Structures are given as C-alpha cells and as structure tokens.
Amino acid sequence: MDDFLQNNGFLIVTMVQQALLAMSLYYPLMSGQLSLASPGFYALGGYVAAIIGTIEYFAPWRDALGWSIFPLEWLAAGIISGVLAVLVGIPALRLRGIYLALATIAFVEILRVICLNLEITGGAIGIFGVPQLFESRWSYIWTFGPLLILMLFFSYRIDRSRVGRAFKAIREDELAADAMGINPTRYKVLAFVIGAVLAGVVGAMSAPFLNTWNARQGTFDASIAYLAYVLIGGSRSMWGPLLGGTLLAALPEVLRPLKDSRLIINGVVLVFASIYMPQGIAGAVGRIRNFTVRKFGSARSEK
Amino acid sequence: MTVLLEAERLCRNFGGLKAVNNVSFQVVEGEIFGLIGPNGAGKTTLFNLMTGLTPVSNGTLRYRGEYLTGLPPHRIAGKGIGRTFQNIRLFKGLSALENIKVSQHVNTNCGLFSGIFCTPASRAEEKMVDEKAWELLKLIGLADRATELAENFSYGDQRRLEIGRALALEPQVLLLDEPAAGMNSAEKHGLTEFIRGIREQFKLTVLLIEHHVPLVMNLCDRIAVLNFGELIAVGNPVDVQKNPAVIEAYLGAE
Amino acid sequence: MRDKFIPHLSSFFVWRRLSNMTTAEFIQNVLNGISIGSVYAIFALGYTLVFSILGIINFAHGAVFTLGAYFTYTLAVGQFGINGLLSGLNLDLQVPFAMALLIGAVLAGLVGVLLERLAFKPLRTRGADSLLALVSSLGVALVIVNAIQYLVGAEIYTFPSGVYGNIKPAMMFEVAGHTVVIRTVQVIIFAVCMVILTILGYVISFTRLGKALQAVAENTTTASLLGISVDRIILVTFFMSGFLGGLAGTLVGTSFGIAGPYFGVTYGLKGLAVIVLGGLGSIPGAVLGGIVIGLAEAFVPPDYSAYKEAVAFAFLFIVLLVRPQGLLGRSHIQKV
Ligand SMILES: Nc1ncnc2c1ncn2[C@@H]1O[C@H](COP(=O)(O)OP(=O)(O)OP(=O)(O)O)[C@@H](O)[C@H]1O
Ligand SMILES: [Mg+2]
C-alpha cells in the first residue's frame, strides 16, 4: 500500500486537484453561466503562492510564520481572485452563452500574456523552487483532499439553500427569475466569484505541490479540459465534476501503455463521451439507477 | 378607493411599431381589472412594461405613488407585483415545489454562508419556506405531484403552477397573462372561481389579459380595451361591451 | 515593479507612438498588418461560415489550419525529421508548390467534412446541448494535433526559401529617407487571400449554392421547406471552412514556418477574436475584423512586442463588453 501511494501519489493528488478545478467551473454553470475563466484564476492563485513563497520581501514573514505561511497564501490567493472576479464579472456577466465563454477565454489569454512578461512572475521561465509544504507528493492529499470534501459539502448545502435555488432559477430562465424577484446580476457574479475563489485557492495549493509555476498553468487548453470534465461528468449535479475531473485526469495515465498514441485516444474519448453520454457520467448513472428502480422496484419506499 | 397602479401616457416602440401608444389608466386596490384587445394589440407588452421586463420608451408608471419606470424587474417584483407569462415560463428543470420556493426569494434573506452552515435562523427560514410552498401547492391542487419536474406537467397544470409561483412572492398585485389559454371549459370555469378565491384570500388586485370574452365579462370589475397599442375604452363590462369603438375594433374583428 | 508597469500601460496608447513614427515606419506597419490581417480574415471566415449556418463554434478549426500546413509540406517537400513514426522519411513527391497549396487546402476541406460527420452531426440529430459541440470538436482537435505529433514529431518544419519560385525574397523602397521592406511572401499571401475572398464573395452572392447557403443561415426550417438540402449545404460549408483554414495554415507556414503541431492553437484563438470583432456570423465582418487585428498587432511598438499576443484578446474582451454584436453584426432584441 505504501509503495502504491508513493508511486501513484502524484496521480491521485492530481485527480483530486482536477476534480476541484472542475468544480470551479460547475458553480457558474449552476447559475447557467458558461465561464471558462478558471485557469486564469488558478494561474493567478499559483503566482500569489509562488511569489509569497520565494521573493525576498516576504522572507521575514516566512521565517516568522513557518508552515502557517501556507494557509495565509491560500487566503491571499482566494481574496485576490475574488476581487478580480468581481471586477471582471460585473461587466462580463451581462454576456450570455458563447459570448461569455469567449470573453472569459480572452481574460485567460490576456492574463497569461501579462504573466509571461512581468518580472515578478518570472517571465517566460516562471518561478522555480516554490517551497514545499510536504516531503512526498502523496502527502498533498492532506491539502487537496479536505478542500474537496469541503467543496462537496458546500455544493450539497448550496443546492438546497435559498442562494442555490436562485442560481438554478437563473439557469432555467433568467428573465422569469428576474420577474420573480431574483437579481440575476448579483447571483451570477456570486456564482462566478465562488468559482474564481476556489480556482485561486487550488492554484495556491498547487504551486508548492508542483514546485514551480509558470504561464503554462493557465491556458486555453486548460479551460476546455475543465469544461470537458464537467460536461462529461455531468453538469447537473455536484457528482459530475467530481467524476469527470478524477476520471479524465487519470485517463492519460491509464492509457500510458499505449505510449505516444494515448493523447489521440484521449481525444476520441472526448468525442464519444459527448456524443453518447449527453447527461454526462453522473446522468448516465442516474438513468441506469432509475431503470433498475423501475424494473426491480425501489430499495427505499417512495415518499 | 385607493389608486394602486397608475399609467400615464405610457409608450413603447419597437422600431417603427408603436406597440403601446400613449396609454393612461388607473387600477384601484382590490379590483379585477381586465385587459382585452385583438392579437398584437399590445397587452403583453403593457404587462412587460409594468414588470420592467421591457423598458418604457416614454411615459410613467406609478405603484402606490412610487415610480416603477426604470426599475429592474426584480425590484418591481420586490414591491409586490407578481405575474404569469402568456407562453409559460416555468423553471422547467426544477420540481413544482422548487418552482414555488424560488419565488419566496424576496420575502426571505438567508445568505450564502448561513445557507451553507445551516444557522438556526436559516433553518427556521427554510422550514417556513417549505411549509408555505406546500400550502400553495395544496391551494393549486398539485401537492401530490410536488417533486415532479415542471416540464412534465400538462398545460393547464403548468398554468396553475405559474399562478402558484407568482403567489409565492406574496404579491399585492397579480398580473395574469391569458391564464385560461389552452384550458377546456370546465377548467375555465374552475379558474374563474379560483381567481375570485385567491383575491379574497390574499387581498389581491388582479390584472387579467384574456381572450375568452365570457370569462372576462363574468370575472372583471372593470375592463380596458387596447387596439393597435392604443387604449380605446375603459369601464365596467356592460358599458364596454356596448361601446361602438370596441365593437368596431375588437368584437367586429372577430 | 510598479514603475515598470506603468510605462508598459501608457505605451499602449497608439497616438503616442504614432506621433513619433516616421512615414516609412508607418507604411511598413500598414503593409505588415494588411498582409497578416488578410490571412486572419480567410482563416476566420472558416469559423464564421460554420457559425452562420449552425450557430456553433468549431474549436477544431485551429487544428485544421495546422493540418493544412502539414499536408502542403508533405506534398511539396515531404522530408521529415528525427521524431515520430515517419522519422527520416523522404517522400520527395515534388508536387509544384501552387498545386500542393491547393491540394493541401482541399484535403483540409475534406477533413472539415469528416469533422462534421463525426463530431457535429450526431449531436445535431439528437438536438443536444450546443455546449457539447465545443467538447466534441475539441476532442477532434486533440486527435488531429496528437496524430500529427505521433507521425512527424513536434519539431519545426520550414518550407525551403524558393517555394514560390525563383523570385527575390524582398523588395525595398525608400520613403523620406527611410527604407520600407516588403517581403515577397507577404505580397503573395495578400494576393492569394484577395483571390480567395473574391471567389468566395462571388460564390456566396451570385450562385445558386450561395443563395442556398444564405437561406440555410437565415432559417434552417424555411430553407428545407424551400427544397434546399440542408444536410448537403452543411457539408459544403464545412468543406469551405476546412479549405480556408488549411489554406491559411499553409500561407502562415510559408511565412513563419510550421512551429510544431500546436501552432494552430494561437491562430485558432485569434480567429475567435476576429469573428467577434467583425460580428459573429458576418462574412464582411470577418474580413474587416481580420484586417483590423492584423493592423493593430503590426502597430505594437517593438519594445512591447511581447504583448503583441494579447492585442487580439484585448480587442475580443473590449468588443464583447462594449458592442457584443461586433462591428458589422446585427443585434437582436430578445422577445419576452
Ligand atoms: N420584443 C419585441 N420586439 C419587437 N416587436 C415586439 C416585441 N414584443 C412585442 N412586439 C410587437 O408588439 C406588438 C404587440 O405585441 P403584444 O405581444 O404586446 O400583443 P398582445 O396584445 O399580447 O397579443 P396576443 O393577444 O397575441 O398575445 C406585436 O405586433 C408584436 O409583434
Ligand atoms: Mg399577449
């Protein structure tokens, strides 16, 4: 078991991390907004942590705080991402559908080019030697794991709360929601900010995990990868991003025996999944369950 | 007799089309005010102006003396004006129960974190929301199908659910856009009684767009007639029915 | 950091640069901008055609662009490097370049057709959420890009300098005592793009096919009631889209080299900026948008050339916020 964790620790933690990033897309989607901005906030959060962790200015802080500098980095990344999300979200969320998606792609790209050119972000090379929180890759499960559980708990509760109902109403029919007294801008921005803060915090956790940080962390490819996680996992329930993120993140590893052609297969899987599992994996599981319930009767009594 | 709603020289143009043109009228508290007119007369547009879904081109709208003009829809809803839609706009992918809970938004105030952490206040609020939703579902007769998705309901049930959803706002004014459309005559009769009933129970003022003339004549205290965006008559049903302009424009056209 | 950042920002004010720019520099920038802009235009047209018909964005368009360049390279040069399955292979087909360019584009067009059949049609017939088309087209892009890498590796391939025949690589002339350089490639690119645009404009405006295309773009149901085979029009559209994408890929490849299987990604994204700037679904808009973004990039001062990559996206972001229907797009009011 220990061996297994040592050998596959990186993969397992990556799966959890990708599931979290998928969730960061899920919140805006819950309110009907297709935002692909997550990689931007993820990159930003990582830079915050990498900068706090490496530059001279913060050296006394690091010495004074010891390991507790890390939670502080997460906090800083979350706050900065949240503030930026409000600034970007208020104008951008007036857009709908594909227009919003394109605006968020533009945001990610602009941020990437800026990070590629600033001195403080290490330019094209990026930031090396970000201090580690743990010695082994596997141990990072103790940061990402609890965050995932926390986010699942949040999603579960939000889904059943007043705010979650407002999100879903906007997703179903923004105009009708408005006429029923829900301020769409406010809740769309809120959903966008939740996603951004989550992505930022995950970024801040990932910089120590990956040890280095550069502009390749926040790209268009990542935007689409996260979208694929959610859509293929299922965008209608919180289990969708969880399943999609973990399974698709593991896919290249699972396909490793295929060597160089594995990314080709990866693409094929995306095409097939979008065609044959329109409700995502979570939806497909739900359908199978409904089917068996109808066929063989429910285990629980119906209300 | 207090004037509740007041429209003054209300106009809305779509390009060159004057969908609502210089319309002024008053709605008195507690009445059922009918709005009739041929297809394309501008009735729905008038509702959209009153609920802020379509911006007013010109003129003013007041509710209890406060200007509604320029307010976004959710602010108007928050003042106690609820509505239904001619081409039903339920939250299709949500259950009947959730549809009604959504509309209690303005009367509750639990935020993101109190919702997540289930504070006592939020729990109490959620309990209240739940009870009220069930009550309304019973009122509209859909309690036994509370967890079914709205899109699976029949046309008539969807219309009733829309009324239930509007009632959940705890409105003082209810705007109903062709609530009887697609209903059979038994259902239409039931609807008449139902609208009278909720007016009594919730102390409502009702504005009603309806094509079915007997229903309007029977139900409404006063009627306004629109034609090509202009208001051509207002008054009690009997007078309006006799008004030559109305016969010419509306009844004659049928 | 602060005192470095602020001049960065201020330099983006074009007027400041223009005020101390020589006439020669100005002309040089305009020429460069129009040349690259015309490629952006024909590339972006590929997006626009598909969008106007189906209302979706084909995220594999950048990959088709890449593929076009590789097709032409294979036909005209056919020498592969040291990586990938085909390493060391020398096909030596010696297809004349003009021919190779055309065949490469046609092949890319056929890939477009295949793409429609595999990734879009199954979703369309089921009436699936249009978001899924993003994912499936991206899946195809992944397949294409990685197949290229699998076959010929990730190295840079360049066309030999003489592909366009035995002509001078550049022309120079003087303006007010300063030199302006026009690379021959730029002229050819511009000329090819103009020819293609003219043909396309003719086809769309004056032929039966073009009329049918417009009818489908306007309303699919009405078009099919008029007896137009919508399915066939969609196939033709994807063929044209792939053709334009592949052609643009080759043209860029001859100018800057083929920088590996991923070199279409940036163009794919910039193409999005172009079509939004021009107005989603508008054909003249795509052309105008291409030229505007080409020019804007050309006028980025050399000291800040690193930010050149962001210009298209800054345009994209700002246009979306200020005028989402783009320069030439139609805005439509939502009916309640
Ligand atoms: N958003 C819009 N954009 C353009 N024209 C509109 C819009 N909304 C309504 N119209 C036009 O305004 C006119 C009035 O429409 P409206 O829907 O208010 O009529 P109505 O009286 O409700 O008719 P019906 O009885 O058919 O429901 C119609 O000619 C309609 O086409
Ligand atoms: Mg109407």
Side-chain angles (χ1 to χ4, degrees):
Chain A
M1 185 68 194
D2 242 25
D3 259 11
F4 176 81
L5 290 183
Q6 289 314 323
N7 294 334
N8 296 291
F10 184 80
L11 175 63
I12 295 170
V13 175
T14 304
M15 285 163 68
V16 174
Q17 179 219 30
Q18 299 293 303
L20 279 164
L21 289 168
M23 294 208 96
S24 74
L25 219 86
Y26 167 71
Y27 289 107
L29 220 49
M30 198 172 173
S31 67
Q33 308 308 306
L34 175 59
S35 152
L36 299 176
S38 285
F41 294 109
Y42 170 70
L44 185 69
Y47 276 118
V48 170
I51 289 167
I52 296 178
T54 54
I55 67 167
E56 200 48 44
Y57 180 84
F58 287 105
W61 291 58
R62 291 194 293 270
D63 293 341
L65 289 167
W67 68 266
S68 49
I69 188 87
F70 288 100
L72 223 63
E73 288 172 0
W74 307 337
L75 189 70
I79 291 171
I80 292 173
S81 299
V83 170
L84 186 62
V86 172
L87 296 179
V88 173
I90 289 175
L93 287 160
R94 285 179 317 176
L95 299 166
R96 285 159 207 253
I98 192 72
Y99 288 92
L100 175 62
L102 292 175
T104 52
I105 289 175
F107 163 75
V108 171
E109 286 296 311
I110 293 168
L111 207 63
R112 185 179 67 86
V113 175
I114 291 175
C115 291
L116 211 50
N117 287 290
L118 289 183
E119 202 165 304
I120 192 165
T121 54
I125 303 158
I127 298 171
F128 279 99
V130 181
Q132 306 282 293
L133 177 55
F134 300 110
E135 287 195 353
S136 80
R137 302 288 93 183
W138 160 247
S139 307
Y140 279 87
I141 199 71
W142 300 117
T143 59
F144 292 109
L147 184 62
L148 182 65
I149 292 168
L150 192 70
M151 291 324 291
L152 287 173
F153 170 74
F154 274 26
S155 311
Y156 179 84
R157 280 287 169 76
I158 290 176
D159 199 50
R160 283 154 185 76
S161 74
R162 173 172 176 267
V163 172
R165 280 194 297 269
F167 286 166
K168 285 185 283 184
I170 295 167
R171 178 188 70 198
E172 294 294 325
D173 188 336
E174 182 172 336
L175 201 130
D178 204 349
M180 295 305 131
I182 292 163
N183 180 346
T185 312
R186 182 180 160 158
Y187 285 96
K188 287 194 293 188
V189 172
L190 179 62
F192 183 71
V193 169
I194 296 175
V197 170
L198 175 59
V201 173
V202 173
M205 286 183 173
S206 300
F209 172 61
L210 297 174
N211 203 348
T212 119
W213 204 254
N214 55 47
R216 275 190 299 281
Q217 297 300 334
T219 61
F220 168 69
D221 290 0
S223 293
I224 297 294
Y226 306 162
L227 177 65
Y229 295 162
V230 180
L231 291 184
I232 288 182
S235 59
R236 283 292 173 127
S237 90
M238 65 190 207
W239 304 112
L242 179 70
L243 282 169
T246 48
L247 296 181
L248 288 183
L251 194 61
E253 281 312 301
V254 176
L255 296 175
R256 191 172 281 283
L258 296 173
K259 299 222 181 63
D260 293 337
S261 58
R262 73 180 200 277
L263 287 171
I264 303 178
I265 308 293
N266 207 347
V268 173
V269 170
L270 285 191
V271 176
F272 272 81
S274 46
I275 292 173
Y276 295 108
M277 288 192 300
Q279 311 286 319
I281 303 170
V285 170
R287 270 211 304 272
I288 293 168
R289 205 184 49 204
N290 282 348
F291 177 76
T292 46
V293 167
R294 246 182 293 135
K295 200 110 198 214
F296 307 109
S298 170
R300 286 165 293 177
S301 62
E302 301 274 320
K303 188 174 164 185
Chain B
M1 281 224 313
T2 36
V3 173
L4 203 61
L5 265 168
E6 193 175 5
E8 240 185 85
R9 311 182 72 78
L10 212 54
C11 299
R12 171 68 213 198
N13 310 326
F14 291 112
L17 177 81
K18 290 177 172 166
V20 171
N21 190 9
N22 250 327
V23 170
S24 308
F25 63 90
Q26 298 184 332
V27 179
V28 176
E29 187 159 16
E31 70 177 335
I32 298 183
F33 186 89
L35 204 54
I36 61 173
N39 286 68
K43 306 179 295 290
T44 300
T45 305
L46 195 56
F47 268 20
N48 289 343
L49 297 178
M50 291 197 233
T51 48
L53 293 178
T54 304
V56 169
S57 300
N58 227 322
T60 57
L61 257 170
R62 275 182 296 175
Y63 172 65
R64 293 191 190 281
E66 294 175 70
Y67 284 98
L68 295 182
T69 347
L71 290 185
H74 55 270
R75 293 279 305 283
I76 296 177
K79 288 187 184 296
I81 301 180
R83 73 169 290 175
T84 67
F85 294 88
Q86 179 175 357
N87 46 348
I88 306 174
R89 298 187 75 145
L90 284 165
F91 305 120
K92 290 200 185 72
L94 304 186
S95 69
L97 187 68
E98 274 180 306
N99 265 281
I100 291 187
K101 283 186 177 181
V102 165
S103 268
Q104 298 185 47
H105 192 86
V106 291
N107 307 312
T108 47
N109 46 35
C110 157
L112 178 66
F113 289 103
S114 49
I116 288 173
F117 296 111
C118 262
T119 58
S122 87
R123 229 174 304 164
E125 191 181 281
E126 201 56 25
K127 191 158 166 264
M128 185 200 82
V129 166
D130 199 61
E131 279 168 7
K132 176 126 181 272
W134 281 102
E135 236 169 69
L136 282 169
L137 277 175
K138 276 186 204 122
L139 182 77
I140 57 173
L142 294 175
D144 51 336
R145 300 173 63 191
T147 56
E148 265 180 64
L149 297 189
E151 63 189 354
N152 296 336
F153 283 69
S154 73
Y155 210 69
D157 286 346
Q158 290 198 8
R159 291 222 175 269
R160 274 189 294 166
L161 183 53
E162 254 207 335
I163 298 179
R165 183 179 69 171
L167 287 174
L169 264 174
E170 298 181 10
Q172 284 145 25
V173 182
L174 185 61
L175 312 185
L176 302 174
D177 197 344
E178 304 199 12
M183 287 187 174
N184 61 35
S185 63
E187 281 177 319
K188 274 180 185 153
H189 183 75
L191 185 74
T192 312
E193 292 312 307
F194 178 73
I195 292 175
R196 283 218 179 89
I198 56 175
R199 168 172 68 164
E200 294 312 314
Q201 188 177 348
F202 299 104
K203 308 260 173 301
L204 289 173
T205 306
V206 179
L207 271 78
L208 176 79
I209 296 177
E210 190 47 68
H211 278 299
H212 188 63
V213 178
L215 191 145
V216 179
M217 295 299 160
N218 177 358
L219 187 59
C220 296
D221 303 313
R222 282 198 309 147
I223 293 176
V225 187
L226 278 178
N227 192 27
F228 291 118
E230 291 184 33
L231 192 70
I232 55 172
V234 193
N236 69 48
V238 184
D239 292 345
V240 166
Q241 221 169 357
K242 281 190 238 149
N243 187 320
V246 176
I247 296 169
E248 162 86 31
Y250 181 65
L251 302 174
E254 283 227 322
Chain C
M1 174 208 155
R2 183 114 170 269
D3 45 21
K4 277 213 176 114
F5 191 58
I6 290 183
H8 267 256
L9 282 178
S10 62
S11 72
F12 275 119
F13 293 118
V14 180
W15 58 267
R16 250 189 72 178
R17 284 293 306 180
L18 283 178
S19 60
N20 51 24
M21 182 182 278
T22 65
T23 319
E25 274 179 310
F26 182 82
I27 293 175
Q28 180 77 64
N29 287 341
V30 170
L31 291 173
N32 291 348
I34 288 182
S35 173
I36 190 71
S38 62
V39 182
Y40 288 165
I42 64 164
F43 174 68
L45 269 174
Y47 273 127
T48 278
L49 285 173
V50 170
F51 187 87
S52 64
I53 299 270
L54 295 180
I56 52 174
I57 286 177
N58 170 14
F59 269 120
H61 196 50
V64 174
F65 167 97
T66 312
L67 205 53
Y70 277 94
F71 280 146
T72 309
Y73 179 85
T74 309
L75 292 165
V77 186
Q79 277 176 23
F80 296 102
I82 49 168
N83 291 309
L85 204 65
L86 304 181
S87 63
L89 186 71
N90 189 347
L91 283 175
D92 207 23
L93 294 175
Q94 299 276 3
V95 180
F97 184 75
M99 195 71 164
L101 176 77
L102 205 64
I103 301 177
V106 168
L107 289 175
L110 293 177
V111 171
V113 169
L114 209 65
L115 179 79
E116 138 67 12
R117 276 299 182 252
L118 294 178
F120 291 114
K121 190 169 185 205
L123 289 171
R124 194 169 59 244
T125 45
R126 211 190 50 220
D129 191 334
S130 62
L131 287 187
L132 284 169
L134 294 188
V135 176
S136 72
S137 62
L138 218 92
V140 174
L142 257 181
V143 172
I144 293 176
V145 166
N146 288 294
I148 293 174
Q149 176 151 357
Y150 183 61
L151 291 175
V152 301
E155 53 222 71
I156 297 172
Y157 289 96
T158 47
F159 288 93
S161 54
V163 284
Y164 288 115
N166 222 344
I167 31 180
K168 273 205 307 190
M171 288 181 284
M172 283 177 227
F173 58 91
E174 300 243 318
V175 176
H178 296 272
T179 323
V180 175
V181 183
I182 308 180
R183 292 168 64 212
T184 314
V185 188
Q186 289 180 309
V187 178
I188 292 172
I189 287 180
F190 181 70
V192 173
C193 290
M194 285 307 117
V195 170
I196 293 294
L197 284 178
T198 314
I199 296 175
L200 194 74
Y202 174 79
V203 169
I204 289 179
S205 313
F206 299 110
T207 63
R208 272 178 65 98
L209 174 68
K211 299 254 157 65
L213 228 138
Q214 287 181 11
V216 176
E218 199 61 44
N219 188 325
T220 330
T221 327
T222 322
S224 68
L225 287 178
L226 291 172
I228 296 168
S229 159
V230 173
D231 198 54
R232 203 176 61 98
I233 293 296
I234 290 174
L235 277 186
V236 172
T237 307
F238 270 92
F239 177 79
M240 294 201 294
S241 164
F243 183 93
L244 293 168
L247 190 72
T250 305
L251 293 177
V252 171
T254 56
S255 182
F256 307 111
I258 306 172
Y262 287 93
F263 103 118
V265 174
T266 329
Y267 289 89
L269 288 174
K270 278 189 195 169
L272 294 176
V274 169
I275 53 170
V276 171
L277 175 62
L280 266 185
S282 157
I283 289 173
V287 178
L288 180 65
I291 303 286
V292 169
I293 287 186
L295 282 173
E297 285 186 348
F299 275 94
V300 173
D303 309 359
Y304 303 101
S305 61
Y307 285 98
K308 202 166 167 173
E309 292 301 297
V311 168
F313 301 107
F315 262 102
L316 176 55
F317 197 72
I318 292 165
V319 168
L320 281 171
L321 298 193
V322 180
R323 194 180 155 82
Q325 74 271 33
L327 294 175
L328 302 183
R330 281 179 290 180
S331 75
H332 35 88
I333 310 169
Q334 194 193 6
K335 269 212 165 192
V336 181

